[in-house]
Amino acid sequence: MTKRREFLKKTAFSSAGITIGGLGFSAKSYASIIGSNERINLAQIGIRNQGTVHINNYCNLKDSHNVVLKVLCDTDEALFDSKSRIVADKTGTRPELEWDIRKVLENKEIDAVSMATPNHWHALGTVWACQAGKHVYVEKPASHNLWEGRKMVEAAQKTGLTVQVGLTNRAYNNVREAMQFLHEGGIGKLYMARALTYKLRNSYGTAKDSKPPANFHYDLWLGPAPYRPYNEKRSHYNWHWFWDTGNGDSGNTGTHQLDIARWGLQKHEHPETIYSMGGLYGFNQDECQPDNCTPGTMVYGDVETYGHDKSMQETPNIQTALFKYEDGTLLEYEARGRYTNQEGSDGREVGNLFYGSEGWLEIAGNSWRAFHQGESQPFASSKDSSSEQEATLFSNFIESIRSGNQKLLQCDMREGFYSSALPLLANISYRVKRELKFMGDYEKFANDSEADTLLSRIYREPYSIPIPL
């Protein structure tokens, strides 16, 4: 079997017609040659925070899905020891370690890559991986800007590879049940959905530019983003709050909830009108003095926050957005990053609300409840699934690779692109400070060249999307 597979791999590569930008070799998809029982060799790209979630999930699939986490890759070599130890403890085998994604993609033994990098690397990493003949699991939002998201869709279509976007709610049984309930008219004809992300975030603080830590390959970490001197407040995890590398809370937690909203509304298209406003609220504008600075508190992401102290953050911590589709259907989004009340019947901080002609429905996590007209008690709800062992988007990814059936994917690249486009469009409206008309068929704004410039970016060579694909 091994010799046969190597022969087929070599045949596929020798007949390839796709050149990988900057990698210097050609490749072609060999998805169809992975047999039902063959091992799938995986490389994890990005191993901090969410990358650790990926690592644990794939290690758990070692026996049931015959997956080997063969390579861990990250630009920060300081992570290598602790993360490789997780793999060794769970699987009995230490993975190979690499800091340069390009070398991983040159490795012919790798069948698939899982991307948990900062947002600004999602598109380039996915396109390069597709051109190297690797299947891809890519975190949300699928892309950092809308243009490159479309190129990811094209790369997936052209190569025929399995590309899954990490919108994990798509795998939850109760969420899927809620979607079926809505689509079958459970609360009548839907006219509006709301996506909520109320997550208290204190100031991430300020810092002076400095030298990057030893063994942190900062230039490669920046990749497609403009060059800036290293600053710890723009680096690990904090990259979320800067336009060069992240998309704020709307592109972070918000993408998950916007995906559920669009899914429930059955909108397989872009909105026609977008309007978003907000700002950075609740933080001091002046630098603190040594005697009154707030002591740092370690939070998720292994970074510190500092109460109300001044922040370098660029993205808003309070944001509302309204999307209107061609048929008049509304989708609302709201992020509240300061102290707030909750919404829904039982207090929802992160979740979704749907409104129909006959009632409303709420989703929070892996549960849902529906209310008839103005009644206060639900007439339909999810079952308790706490004791169930649910499939995950990670297992669905592996199963789709092995079957060669793209229809099995619970969140393919196209679906992930349309959901990821929503926060990207909202952020453009927020940044230009006006309502925008979007021509979905062309993926351009109507008579607005300033807004159009934010649909893409100027890429820093050699980290640009190869055109043509």
Side-chain angles (χ1 to χ4, degrees):
M1 179 66 74
T2 301
K3 290 182 178 179
R4 174 180 175 273
R5 188 177 182 197
E6 285 304 313
F7 170 77
L8 289 171
K9 280 187 183 182
K10 290 176 182 178
T11 302
F13 277 95
S14 66
S15 63
I18 302 170
T19 301
I20 301 169
L23 297 185
F25 66 94
S26 294
K28 184 180 179 181
S29 166
Y30 50 90
S32 61
I33 70 171
I34 296 178
S36 60
N37 297 313
E38 275 198 87
R39 184 177 70 190
I40 293 177
N41 290 325
L42 190 86
Q44 178 61 45
I45 313 295
I47 61 177
R48 191 178 166 90
N49 298 320
Q50 189 63 16
T52 306
V53 174
H54 287 220
I55 290 170
N56 284 313
N57 271 276
Y58 291 121
C59 286
N60 293 340
L61 296 175
K62 173 182 177 289
D63 295 326
S64 62
H65 288 68
N66 198 7
V67 175
V68 171
L69 202 48
K70 189 174 181 61
V71 179
L72 299 185
C73 177
D74 200 285
T75 53
D76 188 352
E77 296 187 58
L79 300 171
F80 284 172
D81 184 60
S82 61
K83 305 305 179 180
S84 63
R85 199 179 310 125
I86 294 173
V87 180
D89 290 345
K90 288 200 164 192
T91 69
T93 304
R94 275 197 177 266
E96 299 172 21
L97 302 171
E98 178 54 63
W99 61 266
D100 192 336
I101 183 176
R102 293 165 293 194
K103 292 185 178 180
V104 175
L105 298 180
E106 290 172 352
N107 187 339
K108 305 296 194 300
E109 294 185 357
I110 298 300
D111 301 304
V113 299
S114 196
M115 300 277 298
T117 64
N119 296 357
H120 69 289
W121 256 105
H122 287 181
L124 183 58
T126 297
V127 170
W128 276 0
C130 284
Q131 293 184 330
K134 319 296 186 190
H135 305 279
V136 182
Y137 183 111
V138 60
E139 267 298 335
K140 54 72 197 168
S143 64
H144 182 256
N145 64 64
L146 195 133
W147 174 85
E148 65 184 18
R150 173 56 66 186
K151 296 305 167 189
M152 295 167 78
V153 173
E154 293 173 3
Q157 291 174 340
K158 185 170 184 177
T159 60
L161 288 152
T162 298
V163 181
Q164 175 100 288
V165 179
L167 291 165
T168 51
N169 294 292
R170 295 262 175 170
Y172 295 159
N173 292 335
N174 281 341
V175 175
R176 296 172 72 84
E177 179 186 78
M179 294 297 104
Q180 182 178 353
F181 182 83
L182 289 172
H183 297 166
E184 292 178 351
I187 57 172
K189 181 176 175 56
L190 298 181
Y191 61 86
M192 184 170 71
R194 297 194 68 216
L196 314 174
T197 56
Y198 302 165
K199 301 189 74 170
L200 176 64
R201 296 188 188 276
N202 285 324
S203 167
Y204 288 96
T206 64
K208 294 181 179 180
D209 294 344
S210 60
K211 291 183 178 180
N215 297 322
F216 179 41
H217 301 271
Y218 179 60
D219 185 79
L220 185 61
W221 181 89
L222 278 177
Y227 178 80
R228 293 180 185 274
Y230 172 80
N231 189 297
E232 64 174 291
K233 298 305 179 185
R234 302 181 70 101
S235 180
H236 292 323
Y237 193 74
N238 289 318
W239 56 261
H240 279 293
W241 324 123
F242 295 89
W243 295 121
D244 283 353
T245 51
N247 306 95
D249 257 324
S250 62
N252 187 28
T253 308
T255 312
H256 284 299
Q257 310 315 316
L258 286 163
D259 175 57
I260 294 176
R262 186 185 66 83
W263 185 11
L265 294 175
Q266 298 188 83
K267 292 301 177 188
H268 306 290
E269 63 200 70
H270 293 300
E272 188 176 68
T273 306
I274 305 102
Y275 182 57
S276 181
M277 63 189 304
L280 199 60
Y281 292 91
F283 299 152
N284 297 327
Q285 298 303 305
D286 297 326
E287 297 282 359
C288 64
Q289 300 303 310
D291 61 345
N292 67 358
C293 289
T294 305
T297 300
M298 191 68 69
V299 297
Y300 178 80
D302 292 331
V303 294
E304 289 186 328
T305 58
Y306 309 91
H308 296 274
D309 289 359
K310 186 175 181 179
S311 174
M312 290 174 61
Q313 180 173 339
E314 294 175 345
T315 61
N317 64 354
I318 303 293
Q319 186 178 9
T320 61
L322 178 63
F323 308 90
K324 187 174 183 180
Y325 288 89
E326 185 178 12
D327 65 357
T329 301
L330 298 175
L331 195 169
E332 295 181 346
Y333 169 74
E334 185 173 19
R336 298 180 192 169
R338 303 309 296 151
Y339 317 116
T340 181
N341 60 302
Q342 300 171 332
E343 294 200 16
S345 69
D346 197 29
R348 306 301 182 202
E349 293 180 337
V350 176
N352 290 83
L353 303 170
F354 292 89
Y355 302 91
S357 58
E358 301 302 321
W360 64 287
L361 180 144
E362 61 185 355
I363 299 176
N366 193 15
S367 66
W368 64 273
R369 302 200 293 178
F371 299 81
H372 185 251
Q373 296 183 359
E375 297 174 0
S376 60
Q377 295 300 313
F379 73 93
S381 63
S382 55
K383 61 185 177 182
D384 180 12
S385 63
S386 59
S387 61
E388 293 184 8
Q389 182 65 41
E390 288 195 301
T392 66
L393 223 58
F394 298 98
S395 59
N396 175 247
F397 174 55
I398 299 302
E399 290 159 6
S400 298
I401 292 173
R402 184 161 277 121
S403 70
N405 184 359
Q406 302 292 320
K407 293 181 179 179
L408 289 181
L409 279 175
Q410 292 174 332
C411 191
D412 64 23
M413 186 58 231
R414 185 175 181 275
E415 283 295 298
F417 168 63
Y418 276 108
S419 291
S420 299
L422 292 170
L424 304 181
L425 292 169
N427 284 339
I428 293 174
S429 173
Y430 167 81
R431 295 176 74 179
V432 300
K433 298 182 173 63
R434 57 179 170 272
E435 180 180 275
L436 299 172
K437 301 294 184 182
F438 195 61
M439 301 180 292
D441 289 344
Y442 303 97
E443 294 182 346
K444 296 286 185 182
F445 295 104
N447 302 314
D448 199 324
S449 57
E450 181 187 10
D452 279 343
T453 62
L454 296 176
L455 290 168
S456 183
R457 74 183 313 160
I458 296 174
Y459 292 85
R460 193 171 67 96
E461 296 299 337
Y463 307 106
S464 60
I465 304 288
I467 299 297
L469 294 174

